[in-house]
């Protein structure tokens, strides 16, 4: 609140008959209303900020047209050859699933239980609606008429390198859209690891099970 506003309030209170040391003064309804309005007005004025050169300077909102640039757009394209911070993909295998231009087997970082768990979470969110929870291509929207994807458990897809699944997720394939802009790169690899876990879960043989954990499995696992 500014000094001038305090002086104005004191003057109004004085005109209304309110003076220091006279607590027995009784205000009429009109006088009381005047005092309340004066105080409220002072509080509202105190909340107003003076003009700010940086806050009030002319600026473009997103997608606003411009009459300054020849193309009429206020947003300017990146300079040719520049890369935005965080988008310099120096590790080709990590970012493309390929080595020397060919899809590759393996992973760009160690696959741990935490990675596979993360892959399952992301798979259930982004993939299961088409591919189904176990990868048979019978997800809910497929049951509603969407084009059915192939099962992950076919001989062809079981023989594909891990980079193939990463590449398809990243760039799309057939009716499948690309997810490269929606799923972070590490999560795409985690989903790939989980797809491998799904394939093994439906096609495991006894030799895939560590000897210490084979007890009681012989009847349920193919030799």
């Amino acid at each position: 609140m500014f000094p001038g506003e305090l002086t104005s309030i004191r003057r109004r209170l004085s005109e209304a008959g309110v003076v220091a040391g006279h607590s027995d003064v009784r205000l009429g309804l009109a006088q009381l209303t005047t005092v309340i309005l004066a105080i409220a007005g002072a509080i509202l004025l105190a909340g107003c900020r003076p003009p700010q050169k940086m806050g009030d300077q002319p600026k473009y909102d997103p997608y606003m047209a411009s009459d300054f640039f020849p193309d009429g757009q206020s947003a300017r394209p990146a300079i040719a050859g520049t890369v935005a911070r965080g988008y310099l993909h120096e590790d080709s295998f990590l970012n493309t699933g390929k080595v020397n231009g060919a899809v590759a087997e393996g992973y760009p970082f160690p696959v741990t239980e935490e990675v596979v768990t993360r892959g399952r979470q992301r798979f259930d969110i982004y993939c299961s609606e088409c591919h189904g929870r176990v990868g048979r291509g019978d997800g809910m929207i497929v049951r509603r008429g969407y084009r059915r994807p192939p099962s992950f458990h076919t001989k062809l897809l079981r023989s594909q390198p891990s980079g193939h699944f990463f590449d398809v997720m990243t760039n799309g394939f057939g009716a499948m859209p690309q997810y490269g802009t929606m799923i972070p790169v590490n999560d795409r690899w985690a989903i790939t690891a989980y797809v491998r876990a799904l394939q093994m879960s439906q096609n495991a043989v006894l030799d895939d099970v560590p000897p210490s954990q084979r007890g009681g499995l012989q009847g349920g696992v193919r030799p």
Side-chain angles (χ1 to χ4, degrees), residues 122-202:
R122 301 298 96 183
F123 180 92
D124 287 347
I125 293 171
Y126 291 104
C127 313
S128 63
E129 61 269 25
C130 286
H131 293 280
R133 288 299 181 94
V134 296
R136 292 198 177 100
D138 57 354
M140 187 55 66
I141 68 171
V142 172
R143 301 177 201 176
R144 298 295 185 269
Y146 195 73
R147 180 176 171 180
R148 186 185 184 100
S151 170
F152 291 141
H153 308 294
T154 64
K155 184 177 180 180
L156 175 62
L157 287 183
R158 284 163 53 198
S159 66
Q160 291 294 326
S162 54
H164 167 79
F165 298 97
F166 180 88
D167 178 58
V168 169
M169 267 187 283
T170 302
N171 301 304
F173 185 82
M176 177 175 169
Q178 62 85 16
Y179 283 83
T181 57
M182 291 180 279
I183 306 177
V185 61
N186 283 15
D187 282 350
R188 276 175 270 151
W189 280 112
I191 293 173
T192 298
Y194 182 63
V195 168
R196 287 297 199 215
L198 285 177
Q199 290 176 327
M200 180 171 287
S201 73
Q202 303 299 302

Side-chain angles (χ1 to χ4, degrees), residues 105-123:
E105 185 59 88
Y107 301 86
F109 50 79
V111 175
T112 63
E113 182 177 351
E114 289 74 20
V115 169
V116 177
T117 299
R118 175 71 177 181
R120 177 179 181 177
Q121 294 170 346
R122 301 298 96 183
F123 180 92

